[in-house]
Amino acid sequence: MQYVAPNVTSEGIEIKIEDADIESEVQYWETALILYAMGEELSMNVVKNFMERTWNFVKLPDMFYHEEGYFILRFKSHDDLDAVLMRGPYTLRNISVMLREWKPNFDLKRDMLRTLPIWVKLPKLPLHLWGAKSLSKIGRAIRVPLVTDECTANKLRVSYARILVEVVITKEMTKEIAIKDCEGRKLLQPVEYEWKPLYCERCQCIGHKCKDYVKKQWKPKAMPPDQAIICPTQATSAEDVAKLKGKEICKENVDEQEDINWITIGSATKDRGKRVSNNSLNDINCVNGFEALGVLNDSIYALDRGPC
């Protein structure tokens, strides 16, 4: 490394990077792809086995893992990189694998979790619209066109055209495109997506959709008037007292006596509203119950003992 004098401004030290400073690094990574699996953390061995099994038509790229959860795959040439992109999309363990070309300003949340490259089919597209310029205009109506597949470029399949388009998944995807030719005729071209990623608008995350959450409030079930349970303390009329006869009495009426007036004693937080009867407070018998154990004619303990 070498010393380079920094530029001091009123806001502090400012470093300016020139194109010549990053030219060699950009060339080193320009054949790299970003691999990201939605909602799944993959190990390097799993990704390596996937590449050996799926990409056996190219030389395996160098693999680097980033702690944000994605892999950087550096291919040996641009041809290998393009060949891998043409064969997509790919799945790994029933998980969609997203691939994107590396750029110096790559950001995972912005470039992979908001905009994704998706293969688009244009069924029954007229053959005179299969040119590169026509397909570019059609792809631009969807979002950002990237490439066409080999069959579309070489016209090996004429049932539909297939292009790779960068789509913003946070917005509604285009379902059809209005095309007007040079003669003024209009055509509504349907658009089919080979894969539509799940996007949750509630938590703004890719890979799932939260179920509609409705907070339910508990409401007591109303009982028919003829089956209502009335406490003795709540009987305020002769009609309520008549209902108590032959009906189930609530738990406060333990003795099932309708003429008892109940009072609450103690703290409601400790004894939870234990109740006693007023009638039992005045009839407390304090006779010594142990006198039956006394021994008659005993000098130590006598039933008719006098004062000490």
Side-chain angles (χ1 to χ4, degrees):
M1 299 182 68
Q2 58 183 351
Y3 173 77
V4 179
N7 183 23
V8 181
T9 64
S10 59
E11 298 179 356
I13 298 177
E14 182 181 82
I15 304 298
K16 184 177 182 180
I17 302 298
E18 305 289 346
D19 292 340
D21 300 334
I22 62 175
E23 182 178 0
S24 60
E25 298 302 320
V26 172
Q27 291 179 356
Y28 183 85
W29 295 106
E30 65 183 1
T31 59
L33 283 179
I34 305 297
L35 183 147
Y36 179 75
M38 286 192 309
E40 186 73 14
E41 293 184 1
L42 304 177
S43 64
M44 299 187 72
N45 289 331
V46 172
V47 177
K48 182 179 180 181
N49 294 334
F50 164 76
M51 293 189 300
E52 291 177 349
R53 182 179 63 256
T54 311
W55 299 342
N56 52 11
F57 51 90
V58 298
K59 294 182 180 180
L60 292 184
D62 299 328
M63 180 172 52
F64 306 89
Y65 176 74
H66 197 281
E67 63 180 6
E68 288 188 356
Y70 62 87
F71 294 85
I72 302 177
L73 309 177
R74 182 175 176 269
F75 289 84
K76 308 302 180 184
S77 65
H78 287 280
D79 294 337
D80 291 348
L81 183 148
D82 294 337
V84 169
L85 286 178
M86 293 295 180
R87 297 288 184 94
Y90 302 97
T91 58
L92 175 59
R93 294 179 177 178
N94 296 326
I95 302 170
S96 299
V97 176
M98 297 182 292
L99 296 175
R100 175 180 290 274
E101 294 187 47
W102 176 86
K103 295 180 181 179
N105 59 347
F106 171 78
D107 181 79
L108 178 65
K109 294 183 179 180
R110 181 193 62 203
D111 298 334
M112 296 292 282
L113 304 183
R114 293 294 180 269
T115 59
L116 298 176
I118 298 178
W119 283 103
V120 175
K121 291 181 179 180
L122 303 174
K124 300 179 180 180
L125 181 69
L127 296 179
H128 66 281
L129 299 178
W130 283 52
K133 290 186 177 180
S134 299
L135 291 177
S136 298
K137 291 182 178 180
I138 295 173
R140 191 67 183 90
I142 302 173
R143 186 63 169 83
V144 180
L146 301 178
V147 295
T148 63
D149 65 351
E150 183 180 358
C151 294
T152 302
N154 299 326
K155 298 177 179 58
L156 302 177
R157 178 195 58 241
V158 294
S159 299
Y160 59 89
R162 185 169 178 260
I163 59 178
L164 185 65
V165 182
E166 187 180 77
V167 179
V168 179
I169 62 175
T170 58
K171 299 181 180 180
E172 186 177 359
M173 296 184 179
T174 304
K175 297 181 180 179
E176 60 181 11
I177 302 172
I179 302 175
K180 184 178 180 180
D181 61 10
C182 56
E183 297 181 0
R185 293 175 298 184
K186 290 186 178 181
L187 169 68
L188 288 179
Q189 175 60 49
V191 178
E192 297 179 359
Y193 298 89
E194 293 188 358
W195 169 66
K196 289 184 178 181
L198 295 176
Y199 179 75
C200 182
E201 297 181 355
R202 182 183 177 191
C203 59
Q204 297 183 349
C205 293
I206 190 173
H208 76 281
K209 279 190 175 182
C210 295
K211 295 182 179 180
D212 295 336
Y213 177 76
V214 179
K215 187 176 181 181
K216 297 182 179 180
Q217 296 182 352
W218 179 84
K219 294 182 179 180
K221 185 177 180 180
M223 298 183 63
D226 57 340
Q227 298 181 4
I229 300 175
I230 303 176
C231 296
T233 56
Q234 296 178 349
T236 58
S237 63
E239 183 180 357
D240 292 340
V241 174
K243 290 182 179 180
L244 289 175
K245 296 182 179 180
K247 301 293 182 180
E248 182 181 355
I249 307 302
C250 64
K251 293 183 179 180
E252 282 89 346
N253 193 4
V254 179
D255 296 332
E256 298 184 358
Q257 298 177 4
E258 300 178 4
D259 56 346
I260 297 178
N261 294 324
W262 297 91
I263 63 172
T264 303
I265 61 173
S267 173
T269 58
K270 294 182 179 180
D271 54 27
R272 300 185 181 275
K274 295 181 181 178
R275 299 184 177 184
V276 298
S277 173
N278 284 337
N279 298 341
S280 61
L281 296 178
N282 299 326
D283 300 333
I284 300 177
N285 188 3
C286 298
V287 178
N288 188 0
F290 291 96
E291 292 188 356
L293 300 178
V295 181
L296 295 177
N297 300 325
D298 195 319
S299 59
I300 299 176
Y301 184 88
L303 291 175
D304 297 330
R305 62 184 181 277
C308 298

